[in-house]
């Protein structure tokens, strides 16, 4: 593959800037007085990654901002983007942390699955099929895809972690020494250093946390990892002791956990993990690699009747 194979006139790149308070002062650029900003120093660094509210109004989550961005595109599809086929939300490193957690917790109707969840709860399969067909016709099969590249950590779906090669609940002494390991931002348990109303509101919209997990497992999510992003990273006990030594190992552990969770449900994991050989912690090399281009532009999530996706391969070499 080559990035030159893709017509730049057929691609629109939008890059959101989640401003820190200092971004509007240490620059010659001009900003409106009420420009949204996110605290980048406390209670944890770069709070936008984890869905925090802005520091100006204190009510607009960074995840809600992303919801609005993709919803605006869809609202203007017929008039401004009539040939739109796919929306791809891509993040590397801190951006990868953002995208994984947003894809997990977003209740935007652009994903096209909230209606499905509601009707499944009522077991109205016939209505579900009819409405899904209508929805697909209305959207003209526009697909939303999330790409999570080389994040330092993940938000896990249950309290188990890979320890000594086994997916298990940590020993009590480990949990006591690091009691926040499964709280937000590292898991879905309430608590953690950052209070995020977006997350609590999303969880409260379901009868159980499992319904949010089920929704996430059906979404189009790709995990990109660099085969050379294997340097030991240290930040906190929640990352270092419970998720793995390096970003590469943490990616492998999280994807293996998804496979176990899917297997326990009698299903194959829909999400895909790709490992780019020869690539370290470098967003340029990652997204210019063959696998990076395949993740963004490839047909990895076609309808089942048109394409059978192999999902049991954890690593693919260039």
């Amino acid at each position: 593959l080559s990035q030159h194979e893709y017509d730049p006139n057929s691609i629109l790149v939008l890059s959101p800037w989640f401003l820190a308070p200092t971004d509007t002062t240490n620059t010659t650029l001009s900003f409106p007085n009420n420009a949204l900003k996110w605290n980048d120093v406390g209670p944890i660094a770069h709070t936008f990654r984890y869905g925090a509210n802005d520091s100006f109004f204190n009510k607009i989550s960074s995840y809600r901002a992303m919801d609005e961005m993709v919803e605006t595109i869809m609202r203007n599809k017929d008039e401004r983007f009539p040939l739109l086929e796919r929306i791809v939300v891509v993040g590397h490193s801190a951006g990868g942390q953002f995208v994984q957690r947003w894809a997990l917790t977003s209740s935007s109707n652009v994903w096209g699955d909230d209606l499905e969840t509601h009707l499944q709860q009522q077991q109205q399969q016939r209505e579900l099929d009819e409405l899904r067909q209508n929805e697909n016709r209305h959207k003209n099969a526009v697909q939303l895809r999330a790409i999570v590249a080389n994040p330092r950590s993940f938000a896990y779906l249950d309290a188990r972690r890979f320890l000594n090669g086994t997916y298990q609940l940590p020993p009590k002494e480990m949990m006591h020494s690091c009691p926040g390991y499964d709280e937000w931002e590292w898991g879905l348990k309430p608590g953690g250093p950052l209070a995020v109303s977006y997350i609590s509101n999303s969880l409260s919209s379901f009868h159980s946390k499992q319904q949010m997990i089920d929704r996430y497992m059906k979404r189009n999510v790709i995990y990109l990892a660099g085969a050379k992003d294997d340097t030991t990273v240290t930040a906190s006990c929640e990352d270092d002791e419970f998720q793995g030594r390096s970003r590469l190992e943490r990616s492998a552990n999280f994807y293996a956990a998804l496979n176990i969770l899917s297997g326990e449900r009698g299903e194959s994991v829909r999400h895909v993990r790709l490992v780019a050989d020869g690539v370290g912690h470098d967003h340029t090399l990652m997204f210019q690699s063959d696998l990076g281009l395949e993740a963004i532009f490839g047909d990895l999530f076609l309808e089942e009747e048109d394409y059978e996706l192999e999902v049991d391969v954890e690593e693919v070499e260039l």
Side-chain angles (χ1 to χ4, degrees), residues 16-144:
W17 184 1
F18 292 98
L19 293 168
T22 56
D23 287 333
T24 58
T25 56
N26 300 332
T27 180
T28 58
L29 299 175
S30 60
F31 297 90
N33 293 331
N34 61 348
L36 297 181
K37 306 171 190 175
W38 280 266
N39 197 323
D40 63 338
V41 294
I44 55 178
H46 308 300
T47 58
F48 82 93
R49 292 179 290 184
Y50 312 116
N53 286 346
D54 72 288
S55 58
F56 187 87
F57 296 104
N58 194 31
K59 64 179 181 180
I60 301 177
S61 165
S62 56
Y63 294 170
R64 180 60 200 135
M66 180 55 68
D67 288 341
E68 183 62 31
M69 191 169 180
V70 294
E71 288 167 11
T72 298
I73 294 172
M74 286 303 300
R75 280 196 300 268
N76 292 276
K77 177 185 179 302
D78 292 341
E79 179 179 350
R80 300 190 62 184
F81 312 110
L83 301 181
L84 181 65
E85 297 178 356
R86 179 181 302 162
I87 298 173
V88 185
V89 180
V90 182
H92 180 269
S93 195
Q97 295 189 58
F98 175 97
V99 171
Q100 189 261 326
R101 291 164 172 86
W102 170 73
L104 170 61
T105 59
S106 171
S107 293
S108 171
N109 57 15
V110 175
W111 289 98
D113 48 18
D114 287 334
L115 176 62
E116 179 175 340
T117 299
H118 174 71
L119 291 175
Q120 282 180 336
Q121 291 171 1
Q122 301 180 46
Q123 298 182 346
Q124 296 172 339
Q125 191 63 46
R126 181 176 300 176
E127 290 185 41
L128 170 62
D129 292 339
E130 292 175 356
L131 287 169
R132 183 189 288 143
Q133 292 174 5
N134 291 335
E135 182 179 30
N136 287 339
R137 284 195 295 269
H138 176 69
K139 290 185 176 181
N140 294 327
V142 172
Q143 181 193 91
L144 179 58

Side-chain angles (χ1 to χ4, degrees), residues 89-310:
V89 180
V90 182
H92 180 269
S93 195
Q97 295 189 58
F98 175 97
V99 171
Q100 189 261 326
R101 291 164 172 86
W102 170 73
L104 170 61
T105 59
S106 171
S107 293
S108 171
N109 57 15
V110 175
W111 289 98
D113 48 18
D114 287 334
L115 176 62
E116 179 175 340
T117 299
H118 174 71
L119 291 175
Q120 282 180 336
Q121 291 171 1
Q122 301 180 46
Q123 298 182 346
Q124 296 172 339
Q125 191 63 46
R126 181 176 300 176
E127 290 185 41
L128 170 62
D129 292 339
E130 292 175 356
L131 287 169
R132 183 189 288 143
Q133 292 174 5
N134 291 335
E135 182 179 30
N136 287 339
R137 284 195 295 269
H138 176 69
K139 290 185 176 181
N140 294 327
V142 172
Q143 181 193 91
L144 179 58
R145 176 181 299 185
I147 299 179
V148 179
N150 290 335
R152 190 193 68 207
S153 66
F154 294 84
Y156 269 71
L157 308 185
D158 71 2
R160 292 175 290 178
R161 298 292 186 272
F162 270 99
L163 301 171
N164 300 319
T166 301
Y167 194 54
Q168 59 181 301
L169 284 174
K172 290 183 178 179
E173 56 270 21
M174 282 191 69
M175 291 191 284
H176 288 159
S177 66
C178 190
Y181 85 96
D182 196 41
E183 297 175 350
W184 187 259
E185 70 214 58
W186 303 278
L188 290 174
K189 184 179 177 182
L194 185 66
V196 181
S197 58
Y198 186 98
I199 308 305
S200 57
N201 291 339
S202 185
L203 282 168
S204 65
S205 67
F206 294 93
H207 292 305
S208 69
K209 181 175 70 174
Q210 185 60 47
Q211 291 177 335
M212 176 187 284
I213 295 171
D214 292 344
R215 182 184 70 177
Y216 179 63
M217 300 287 272
K218 295 175 183 177
R219 289 179 167 175
N220 301 325
V221 183
I222 299 173
Y223 308 96
L224 283 176
K228 290 190 174 182
D229 197 356
D230 57 356
T231 301
T232 299
V233 289
T234 57
S236 65
C237 64
E238 294 87 354
D239 296 338
D240 307 342
E241 297 178 20
F242 291 87
Q243 297 207 12
R245 180 187 63 83
S246 65
R247 292 181 180 88
L248 178 63
E249 183 177 313
R250 293 172 187 182
S251 170
N253 286 344
F254 183 74
Y255 190 70
L258 292 180
N259 275 275
I260 291 174
L261 289 169
S262 295
E264 291 172 347
R265 294 152 45 99
E267 301 175 357
S268 296
V269 64
R270 177 174 177 80
H271 298 183
V272 177
R273 179 174 182 259
L274 304 173
V275 179
D277 191 33
V279 177
H281 196 67
D282 187 303
H283 63 277
T284 301
L285 294 178
M286 177 60 69
F287 295 131
Q288 290 184 352
S289 70
D290 282 0
L291 292 180
L293 293 171
E294 178 67 18
I296 296 171
F297 297 105
D299 294 323
L300 294 174
F301 295 109
L302 291 177
E303 293 300 319
E304 292 182 0
E305 60 265 26
D306 298 327
Y307 184 78
E308 184 175 352
L309 178 64
E310 296 291 337

